[in-house]
Amino acid sequence: MKAAIRRQYGSPQVIQIEEIEKPIPKDDELLIQVHATTVNRTDCANLTAKPFIMRFFLGLFKPRKVILGNDFAGTVVAIGKNIQSFKVTDRVFGFTDLGLESLAEYLVMKPKGNVLTIPENTDFKHAVASMEGAHYAYSFIHKVTIKPGQNILINGATGAIGSALLQLVKQFDVQITATCNTKNTDLIRSLGADQVIDYTKEDFTQNREKYDFIFDAVGKSTFGKCKPILKDRGVYISSELGPNAQNPFLALFTSFGSKKKVIFPIPFSIQKTLPYIKNLLEQEKFKPLIDCEYPLEDVSKAYEYAMSGEKTGNVIITF
């Protein structure tokens, strides 16, 4: 089978498409034919091992898993004798942020809540595009208590996390302001934003409006810059560590007596988030954005585009 492999950390140019042996499932494993994966922020971090803390999970000097890929949508083609919850021909999707080795034509995995059947109303591409962004977006909205009438700002509403977050927040009776670039203003309004700020023309931190929550889905602002536009008891949450890795420490320091707080959104378990995402797909309350598609042979180009910061929603790899 073909697989996207890198044996060292680095730029997209270190990725090679190689022919390797097709895996054989053990008694407690599924063999899945992969139809689609994404190249997302987590994939880029796993490729480059940046921030450096990633190396403690992936391998200090070189990656322990050489095949790339964190999510997939595909078809079960074989099952181990101990598997009872899946059958051959099931359409399935899954995700884990530490790597599934899913950028390959086939993968094997033990089903431990990290793989679910795809809803009948969802195709492979939208199934896999629903994984990473919504997984992290779930952590934003479940780290706080959102009440009707509150005012929420989402910075970076066009990425995989931001576009999912906008749709999840829209389920609450709140006012949503979202930032995006010029070409996506109509798209972001269609997803539920009440007000849109074009970041190419306006700095949202200079806005006179005050917010109960500022959700920075791209990590390009800071608590210091956002603090003046937070209400008393307002909360800032970023998807990134911050320019100096300060956000986890600010979350600790502001938890003691500060009127305005930072919360660091340590992700909930896959076993909790994936059923939530599947339920939203079944109810048609969430539709992930897809920017573009690349064949497996052009995976390096897909990584380059994902790392450019210009993508809208998800970049799909098809097989």
Side-chain angles (χ1 to χ4, degrees), residues 1 6 8-9 14-15 63 67-68 89 99 117 123 128 139 161 169-170 187 202 218 229 236 240 244 249 253 264 283:
M1 70 172 186
R6 59 88 167 86
Q8 63 187 51
Y9 300 120
V14 304
I15 305 171
I67 302 175
L68 291 161
T89 73
T117 55
D123 61 29
V128 74
S139 299
I161 299 174
V169 170
K170 193 60 183 177
L187 171 63
E202 182 181 352
V218 286
I229 59 171
Y236 171 82
E240 298 290 338
N244 300 301
F249 300 100
F253 297 148
F264 190 67
Q283 297 183 48

Side-chain angles (χ1 to χ4, degrees), residues 175-190:
Q175 287 292 116
I176 303 172
T177 299
T179 74
C180 66
N181 54 14
T182 306
K183 70 176 183 179
N184 285 313
T185 54
D186 289 340
L187 171 63
I188 295 308
R189 285 193 181 94
S190 74

Side-chain angles (χ1 to χ4, degrees), residues 137-146 213 215 235 237 263-268:
Y138 179 100
S139 299
F140 276 71
I141 66 171
H142 287 85
K143 297 290 184 180
V144 297
T145 301
I146 300 175
F213 302 108
F215 296 147
V235 174
I237 300 181
I263 292 178
F264 190 67
I266 298 172
F268 288 86

Side-chain angles (χ1 to χ4, degrees), residues 22 70 97 113 277 285:
K22 180 179 173 181
N70 293 290
D97 48 14
I277 294 167
K285 291 183 177 180

Side-chain angles (χ1 to χ4, degrees), residues 4 32-40 43 67-74 93-94 100-107 124-132 290 292-296 299 302-303 314-319:
I32 298 165
Q33 181 180 2
V34 178
H35 298 302
T37 66
T38 70
V39 175
N40 51 52
D43 290 296
I67 302 175
L68 291 161
N70 293 290
D71 56 20
F72 73 91
F93 63 153
L100 279 175
E101 299 185 291
S102 55
L103 266 169
E105 292 178 309
Y106 294 89
L107 66 85
F124 288 117
K125 295 174 186 177
H126 284 90
V128 74
S130 72
M131 296 276 91
E132 191 246 12
I290 293 176
C292 56
E293 302 173 20
Y294 291 84
L296 179 63
V299 66
Y303 271 85
N314 293 270
V315 175
I316 304 293
I317 303 294
T318 54
F319 294 79

Side-chain angles (χ1 to χ4, degrees), residues 178-309:
T179 74
C180 66
N181 54 14
T182 306
K183 70 176 183 179
N184 285 313
T185 54
D186 289 340
L187 171 63
I188 295 308
R189 285 193 181 94
S190 74
L191 293 180
D194 299 293
Q195 180 180 351
V196 177
I197 296 175
D198 182 345
Y199 67 74
T200 68
K201 300 177 180 179
E202 182 181 352
D203 181 355
F204 77 88
T205 64
Q206 302 303 309
N207 198 352
R208 295 184 179 181
E209 194 74 40
K210 299 282 187 178
Y211 301 96
D212 297 281
F213 302 108
I214 295 177
F215 296 147
D216 188 354
V218 286
K220 292 185 177 180
S221 189
T222 64
F223 176 58
K225 291 180 179 179
C226 293
K227 194 173 181 180
I229 59 171
L230 276 173
K231 295 180 181 179
D232 284 346
R233 302 187 183 282
V235 174
Y236 171 82
I237 300 181
S238 174
S239 62
E240 298 290 338
L241 294 172
N244 300 301
Q246 74 271 24
N247 287 333
F249 300 100
L250 287 172
L252 177 63
F253 297 148
T254 61
S255 66
F256 299 103
S258 177
K259 289 185 178 180
K260 301 178 182 182
K261 300 184 183 299
V262 175
I263 292 178
F264 190 67
I266 298 172
F268 288 86
S269 70
I270 299 295
Q271 290 77 11
K272 193 175 187 70
T273 61
L274 296 198
Y276 177 85
I277 294 167
K278 178 178 177 177
N279 183 56
L280 291 180
L281 292 172
E282 289 174 331
Q283 297 183 48
E284 298 184 351
K285 291 183 177 180
F286 168 51
K287 186 173 183 179
L289 298 183
I290 293 176
D291 185 311
C292 56
E293 302 173 20
Y294 291 84
L296 179 63
E297 289 73 17
D298 289 337
V299 66
S300 292
K301 293 180 181 179
Y303 271 85
E304 288 173 357
Y305 182 57
M307 295 168 74
S308 73

